[in-house]
Amino acid sequence: MTGSTELSQQLEAVLTNQGTTWTRRVGLAMLIEMQLLMPIAGPAVVVYALNNALSISTQIFSGHLGNLELAASSLGNNGIQVFAYGLMLGMGSAVETLCGQAYGANKYNMLGIYLQRSTVLLMATGIPLTILYAFSKPILLLLGESPEIASAAAVFVYGLIPQIFAYAANFPIQKFLQAQSIVAPSAYIAAVMVVVHLLCSWVVVYKLGVGLFGASLVLSLSWWVIVGAQFLYIVMSSRCRHTWTGFSSQAFSGLPEFLKLSTASAIMLCLEAWYFQILILITGLLEDAQLALDSLTVCLTLSGWVFMISVGFNAAASVRVGNELGAGHAKAAEFSVIVVTLVSFVISVTLALVLLACRNYISYIFTEGETVARAVADMSPLLATTLILNGIQPVLSGVAVGCGWQTFVAYVNVGCYYIVGVPIGILLGFKFNLGAKGIWAGMLGGTSMQTLILIWITFRTDWTKEVEEARNRLNKWEDKKQPLLSNSDSETNN
């Protein structure tokens, strides 16, 4: 706690020191910022990648039971479960804004309160989600799935019901720790849990013969072990002694206003997650849908792997900006945005170039089909562009969370994704007969527009004003006399 606070103060002092040259200030500031940034971004990438590996491994175990089980687990994981994951992660991002700014403002006791309030809200949200899971079979039948697949997927989804409430506890805990730059313990826990999960899945699925329900139930229990281990760390670690002081009745106060920010966060993130699900659905309507879906699945899987890096930098950007705004360091907050965006961008460009160099061979990781390989190679320029945009857009979304701009970004996402991207994709794909490339190009246009808007807004931001708004937000929320969100929280700076 003391180390990061001292580095933050040094960073602001270096940036505001007019007694040295500009190049020396930038060089020293870069060294300090990297010491603050990488201990957050690096472990965060590992955490999100390993958490994703839990679901993927469960799908692999299910797939070895048979084609029906593979289809059922894929539908359960990538359909219903992704919806719950996005909703819970989005709502959990509200605590990311408040904890980040409260930590920077040295209001350490409020972090535990925000953690508890967020957990209460997410647990309550889990109740209607449980009903959704319980009626997964009729929902899937209504969406046109075959009775056989719908029945098998429903069995898989029933085992995921405990996972809903594990999400409700995990994401607030995760954001609580990240706000304090405590990320490595979560990475260690996730790494150990992947090994344990693989062993338990093997025993339950193959040795005990419990099948699909057993596979999904093990996944749920693995998430609960992660929650328990992280909470045990919070209670026992000296690093959290100032931010966690035990359970409090304050967790149940001011929930309506907390819900407002949580809902804005959820909408912002879900609109992004659903955007690419729609891409797959639309592609399935093409004449040669199988080839289009095969090549698109390969490309989106590769994009998803690289996206784990961007998600890590998204978390780092949110923490760094939130901490500096809460501490009243306007220059440091602005500099952090520039550095984290540049680092993520350079990594993404490098990976995009590697992808283009391997475009004729990379699909063979997934399939031996030459037709798919040619289709993937043909789509690789769009994939490379997506990777580059993913080096910028998620980071700026993290900045938005750190500043509390969730409501505004939700409006931007609706306009860029669903009013521009989807219609243009449909037009190019079907009217101009460009197929999957046209659909992806149109939706990529929506992402590009959103990225440009976020760059423009961030560039025009008055960081001194953001510091004042962060201070006012924390004071109002702590006093419980005013709403959490002021009107300016959902507007851009002029």
Side-chain angles (χ1 to χ4, degrees):
M1 184 180 295
T2 304
S4 60
T5 302
E6 289 177 353
L7 285 172
S8 177
Q9 292 171 347
Q10 290 177 23
L11 178 61
E12 184 72 7
V14 167
L15 292 169
T16 54
N17 182 12
Q18 299 297 321
T20 58
T21 62
W22 179 83
T23 53
R24 179 172 174 76
R25 287 203 305 274
V26 170
L28 288 173
M30 181 71 75
L31 290 174
I32 297 172
E33 177 60 33
M34 293 303 288
Q35 293 180 63
L36 290 164
L37 174 65
M38 296 315 295
I40 306 172
V45 171
V46 174
V47 169
Y48 287 112
L50 291 176
N51 287 346
N52 189 46
L54 292 178
S55 294
I56 293 174
S57 62
T58 297
Q59 200 165 319
I60 291 172
F61 276 107
S62 300
H64 283 287
L65 292 172
N67 291 334
L68 175 63
E69 287 80 0
L70 175 61
S73 62
S74 178
L75 194 58
N77 259 330
N78 300 322
I80 294 176
Q81 189 245 21
V82 164
F83 171 77
Y85 182 92
L87 181 63
M88 290 293 190
L89 180 60
M91 292 189 70
S93 295
V95 80
E96 193 171 4
T97 300
L98 296 169
C99 280
Q101 295 183 0
Y103 184 79
N106 297 329
K107 297 185 177 184
Y108 300 131
N109 65 303
M110 291 305 298
L111 271 74
I113 303 300
Y114 295 147
L115 165 61
Q116 293 172 62
R117 284 176 182 163
S118 182
T119 304
V120 168
L121 278 178
L122 266 66
M123 286 289 182
T125 304
I127 296 173
L129 283 177
T130 300
I131 298 173
L132 175 70
Y133 276 41
F135 288 94
S136 56
K137 181 178 178 179
I139 290 173
L140 292 172
L141 289 173
L142 187 65
L143 293 174
E145 296 294 336
S146 69
E148 189 179 23
I149 292 179
S151 297
V155 171
F156 184 83
V157 168
Y158 295 154
L160 295 179
I161 290 176
Q163 185 190 49
I164 298 173
F165 299 97
Y167 283 163
N170 177 74
F171 292 132
I173 288 175
Q174 202 173 68
K175 303 304 181 182
F176 168 87
L177 291 170
Q178 286 177 1
Q180 304 169 68
S181 300
I182 304 174
V183 189
S186 295
Y188 297 141
I189 292 168
V192 172
M193 202 56 232
V194 166
V195 177
V196 174
H197 176 75
L198 291 173
L199 179 61
C200 291
S201 295
W202 178 75
V203 171
V204 170
V205 174
Y206 297 138
K207 294 301 179 182
L208 299 181
V210 184
L212 274 178
F213 181 76
S216 59
L217 191 60
V218 169
L219 178 59
S220 294
L221 295 178
S222 295
W223 273 94
W224 269 111
V225 173
I226 290 173
V227 169
Q230 289 183 134
F231 184 69
L232 191 62
Y233 176 86
I234 290 172
V235 173
M236 298 183 65
S237 173
S238 59
R239 298 178 68 183
C240 299
R241 66 183 182 276
H242 298 299
T243 54
W244 176 262
T245 56
F247 294 100
S248 170
S249 60
Q250 283 184 273
F252 298 94
S253 64
L255 290 177
E257 291 300 331
F258 206 99
L259 177 63
K260 188 184 297 184
L261 182 57
S262 296
T263 303
S265 300
I267 292 173
M268 169 185 156
L269 193 142
C270 286
L271 287 175
E272 294 184 9
W274 296 338
Y275 190 50
F276 290 98
Q277 295 298 319
I278 291 173
L279 172 61
I280 295 175
L281 291 174
I282 296 174
T283 303
L285 301 175
L286 293 170
E287 290 185 7
D288 192 0
Q290 183 174 348
L291 176 60
L293 285 173
D294 286 345
S295 59
L296 190 64
T297 299
V298 171
C299 290
L300 288 180
T301 301
L302 292 169
S303 176
W305 290 351
V306 177
F307 190 69
M308 291 298 104
I309 299 175
S310 303
V311 170
F313 279 96
N314 168 286
S318 176
V319 171
R320 290 292 303 120
V321 172
N323 285 175
E324 298 299 347
L325 290 178
H329 300 160
K331 291 288 186 182
E334 182 178 12
F335 188 77
S336 295
V337 172
I338 295 171
V339 172
V340 69
T341 305
L342 284 176
V343 172
S344 180
F345 176 72
V346 169
I347 293 174
S348 297
V349 169
T350 302
L351 292 174
L353 292 175
V354 171
L355 171 85
L356 288 174
C358 304
R359 62 185 179 276
N360 293 317
Y361 317 102
I362 201 161
S363 70
Y364 291 110
I365 297 174
F366 307 92
T367 177
E368 297 179 358
E370 293 184 8
T371 306
V372 175
R374 287 194 296 270
V376 170
D378 191 39
M379 295 179 73
S380 59
L382 290 174
L383 176 57
T385 305
T386 300
L387 297 186
I388 293 172
L389 284 176
N390 282 346
I392 304 174
Q393 185 270 338
V395 173
L396 296 181
S397 292
V399 173
V401 170
C403 294
W405 298 341
Q406 286 96 325
T407 302
F408 169 73
V409 176
Y411 286 126
V412 172
N413 288 353
V414 170
C416 295
Y417 290 163
Y418 299 97
I419 298 178
V420 176
V422 173
I424 291 179
I426 293 173
L427 187 65
L428 292 175
F430 294 92
K431 180 68 175 178
F432 291 93
N433 297 318
L434 295 178
K437 286 180 65 178
I439 295 171
W440 195 348
M443 300 185 79
L444 198 57
T447 305
S448 301
M449 177 178 291
Q450 187 236 26
T451 303
L452 289 173
I453 291 174
L454 289 179
I455 291 173
W456 177 244
I457 295 306
T458 305
F459 175 77
R460 296 186 63 198
T461 295
D462 182 343
W463 292 102
T464 302
K465 182 180 177 182
E466 286 299 323
V467 165
E468 186 63 29
E469 289 185 357
R471 184 179 295 114
N472 291 338
R473 183 185 300 116
L474 291 174
N475 289 336
K476 290 174 180 177
W477 186 237
E478 190 173 23
D479 293 337
K480 296 179 292 183
K481 295 176 182 178
Q482 299 291 337
L484 173 62
L485 292 175
S486 62
N487 291 333
S488 58
D489 288 333
S490 59
E491 298 174 356
T492 60
N493 294 308
N494 297 319

